[in-house]
Amino acid sequence: MKKIGILSLQGDFEAHGRTLARLGADPVFVRTAADLDAVDGLIIPGGESTTMLKLLHAENLLGPLAAFGRRRPIFGTCAGAILLATGISNPQQEGLGLMDIDVERNAYGRQIDSRVAHLTPEAEFAARTHPGEMESVFIRAPVIRRVGPQARILARYAGDPVLVEQGRHLVATFHPELTSDSRVHEFFLSKL
């Protein structure tokens, strides 16, 4: 059974844990650098990226997370996608730089502009999981403004990339853990 860490400093890490358990994985709530030694992959959940970054610095986790990402897969949702990016704007902030993407924070608007959308994933994602529309929950979501040449877009919303893979890593600007559709988590587990 694969042990999947979920960064548990802030955000809805418990919803990711329930999804992973439903899929037969063993969720491990990660709060320290030592916790990273016990997991095969890591999810960085949504939340507030500035707050999460402050907590990562306070817990001396930023360096260990970057080192972990050079060896093992990380899946970032919403704020997690922001933290995995190389370029971050609105405003600029530090990130892990593990994926060659540029992200604009809160680009869809304020909390009141949050929405549930139905996406049709790209053919590659459908072939590696299964076809069909995917319910996607956007909460103060970032927009991926640039995707580097090594990254692949797996789904779009309103023309913008919302699910992107690069090597061992995966980001979603929406919250797949808040729906009953487990394909995105299954896709991440397949990277292990």
Side-chain angles (χ1 to χ4, degrees), residues 19-105:
T19 301
L20 290 171
R22 207 171 54 238
L23 294 173
D26 184 11
V28 176
F29 296 107
V30 171
R31 292 181 176 91
T32 67
D35 293 339
L36 291 170
D37 295 335
V39 299
D40 302 302
L42 180 73
I43 294 175
I44 302 177
E48 208 293 311
S49 63
T50 304
T51 302
M52 205 176 286
L53 193 58
K54 287 179 184 177
L55 292 169
L56 288 172
H57 278 295
E59 298 297 324
N60 294 316
L61 262 170
L62 200 62
L65 273 182
F68 181 89
R70 288 190 289 274
R71 300 184 324 273
R72 302 217 186 264
I74 298 179
F75 171 31
T77 61
C78 202
I82 294 168
L83 290 174
L84 284 173
T86 299
I88 303 165
S89 63
N90 191 29
Q92 288 186 337
Q93 76 177 36
E94 178 182 18
L96 296 167
L98 292 171
M99 287 187 66
D100 187 15
I101 58 174
D102 291 344
V103 175
E104 181 182 346
R105 298 173 66 228

Side-chain angles (χ1 to χ4, degrees), residues 23 33 44 56 58 64 69 73 85 98 131 133 152 156 169 175 183 190 192:
L23 294 173
I44 302 177
L56 288 172
L98 292 171
E133 274 194 345
R152 287 194 296 275
R156 298 175 190 267
H169 304 307
H175 292 267
R183 281 180 287 172
S190 74
L192 308 174

Side-chain angles (χ1 to χ4, degrees), residues 2 52 96 116 164-165 174:
K2 294 294 184 183
M52 205 176 286
L96 296 167
V116 176
V164 176
E165 170 188 39
F174 55 95

